Amino acid sequence: HYKSAVVEYTPKMDNEIEWQKEITLAMDNALVNDEFLVYYQPKFLFTTSKCIGAEALIRWSHKERGLLPPNTFLPLFEKNGFIQKLDIFVFENVCKFLSGWITEGHEPVVISFNLSRLHLQNPRLTSMLTSIAEKYKVSTQYLEIELTESLMHEDIQKLIETMLSLKKAGFKISIDDFGSGYSSLN
């Protein structure tokens, strides 16, 4: 702490460091062993009660700790970069789900999924997502990318370029967690 030369190291801090080590060591194997699960939260139109879409949500079915909510692992994955692999895992699952849904004869709905800010540094993002959608024969019109509001405060020019590229490829884009921090509608 910059105001004091003395810092107290607490058991809570020790527990947090141990937890971070544990999940860092387990994350790659968890992905390979299908411990990450994608749930679909439906979106309903109140006036008709019709399901008009869904949001893909990630959970970790940890082999020892049970079902973990995203706030227990996503912040660390954002810091260490693993979130990029996890985002692509979720996106591929969304495409598989939609492909199966269409094959079964159901009318497709738009499914949204979160995309980390780290993807904005990838100049091949649009082509990568498009090729996965094509692999499963899913039209990009049924895929909605959620970008968090906090992205609006970073490299705005890069964000605009990426969003335009994604829109041109047919993806829908929405802002997730809007109003939870500093709202930047402009």
Side-chain angles (χ1 to χ4, degrees):
H1 194 277
Y2 69 94
K3 291 182 181 178
S4 171
V6 178
V7 177
E8 180 182 0
Y9 186 76
T10 66
K12 182 180 177 188
M13 294 164 81
D14 192 46
N15 291 340
E16 182 64 26
I17 289 169
E18 286 302 315
W19 172 244
Q20 289 181 3
K21 281 197 294 190
E22 180 182 334
I23 63 174
T24 299
L25 291 172
M27 64 191 186
D28 284 310
N29 285 335
L31 191 58
V32 170
N33 296 329
D34 293 323
E35 291 179 30
F36 291 106
L37 306 173
V38 179
Y39 288 89
Y40 297 93
Q41 179 175 298
K43 297 178 182 179
F44 289 96
L45 190 60
F46 283 123
T47 55
T48 63
S49 297
K50 180 182 178 189
C51 180
I52 57 168
E55 179 178 2
L57 303 171
I58 189 77
R59 299 294 182 268
W60 185 349
S61 181
H62 194 278
K63 57 186 172 191
E64 293 159 9
R65 296 181 179 257
L67 198 61
L68 301 175
N71 65 331
T72 61
F73 56 88
L74 287 183
L76 178 63
F77 291 174
E78 276 280 343
K79 287 180 190 170
N80 69 18
F82 186 74
I83 192 72
Q84 293 180 78
K85 286 182 183 179
L86 199 57
D87 283 350
I88 297 304
F89 170 83
V90 170
F91 179 68
E92 189 145 0
N93 272 269
V94 166
C95 290
K96 279 184 208 175
F97 176 82
L98 276 171
S99 179
W101 189 256
I102 293 166
T103 300
E104 291 173 6
H106 301 288
E107 183 180 335
V109 295
V110 174
I111 298 183
S112 62
F113 63 98
N114 289 294
L115 195 64
S116 166
R117 61 182 173 76
L118 298 177
H119 289 285
L120 297 180
Q121 307 308 317
N122 183 352
R124 295 188 57 249
L125 175 64
T126 301
S127 63
M128 183 175 61
L129 295 179
T130 303
S131 75
I132 293 170
E134 288 171 354
K135 173 182 169 183
Y136 293 99
K137 298 176 179 61
V138 172
S139 171
T140 55
Q141 72 178 333
Y142 299 116
L143 301 165
E144 181 176 53
I145 299 168
E146 291 189 0
L147 302 171
T148 59
E149 179 191 355
S150 62
L151 276 172
M152 307 304 146
H153 308 294
E154 295 188 14
D155 184 349
I156 194 71
Q157 190 56 45
K158 183 69 178 161
L159 176 63
I160 290 170
E161 289 170 16
T162 302
M163 287 173 36
L164 289 173
S165 174
L166 291 166
K167 290 289 285 178
K168 187 176 179 183
F171 292 97
K172 294 178 179 0
I173 298 175
S174 65
I175 299 174
D176 194 21
D177 298 333
F178 184 76
S180 62
Y182 174 78
S183 298
S184 55
L185 191 55
N186 287 338

